[in-house]
Amino acid sequence: QVQLVESGGGLVTPGGSLRLSCAASGRTLDEAAMGWFRQAPGKEREFVAGIRWIGGRTNYADSAKDRFTISRDNAKNTVWLQMNNLKSEDTAVYYCAAGPYIRRGPENYPYWGQGTQVTVSS
């Protein structure tokens, strides 16, 4: 029912910026929160940022704070992740997810997109 489609990933040099987009369809009031996660090769999927549709409350991982900004447009059913001052450590597949609450554990999000690759390299 709920479909999420990420876009905006690509190759960028260190210090550069990217803006990821997540288009949501089929969402209900049960999916009150959206999250961005990332997964690097050989590592666990980790929380990056989350936001609520109503009120816009946000939460960030320490690695994302002061560099990344999550935002949403309710009318467009779209969530963005603006990433600035990118580092090689940010290289990963980035996923958007929908769930009832902002939580840091991926198990709390029932719906996931296919992911978009972000590569930071010189």
Side-chain angles (χ1 to χ4, degrees), residues 12-16 38 40-41 43 67-68 85-92 94 117-122:
V12 65
T13 57
R38 67 187 183 187
K43 294 190 174 182
R67 295 192 299 127
F68 296 180
N85 192 25
L86 284 162
K87 306 173 181 179
S88 60
E89 306 94 278
D90 297 315
T91 296
Y94 284 71
Q117 177 72 48
V118 172
T119 302
V120 185
S121 177
S122 59

Side-chain angles (χ1 to χ4, degrees), residues 27-66:
R27 187 179 64 86
T28 72
L29 293 176
D30 291 337
E31 291 75 57
M34 299 289 292
W36 283 100
F37 291 76
R38 67 187 183 187
Q39 188 165 23
K43 294 190 174 182
E44 302 263 333
R45 189 167 299 187
E46 66 173 347
F47 175 83
V48 177
I51 191 168
R52 292 184 61 83
W53 289 104
I54 306 301
R57 178 180 292 190
T58 60
N59 194 18
Y60 294 92
D62 289 342
S63 60
K65 189 176 182 180
D66 298 326

Side-chain angles (χ1 to χ4, degrees), residues 69-117:
T69 302
I70 188 171
S71 60
R72 89 280 189 248
D73 187 322
N74 292 22
K76 295 181 178 180
N77 276 314
T78 301
V79 176
W80 296 275
L81 183 68
Q82 178 67 46
M83 304 186 294
N84 297 324
N85 192 25
L86 284 162
K87 306 173 181 179
S88 60
E89 306 94 278
D90 297 315
T91 296
V93 177
Y94 284 71
Y95 300 89
C96 67
Y101 315 101
I102 298 178
R103 296 286 154 85
R104 299 200 169 199
E107 69 275 8
N108 294 288
Y109 295 81
Y111 304 101
W112 294 83
Q114 295 294 314
T116 185
Q117 177 72 48

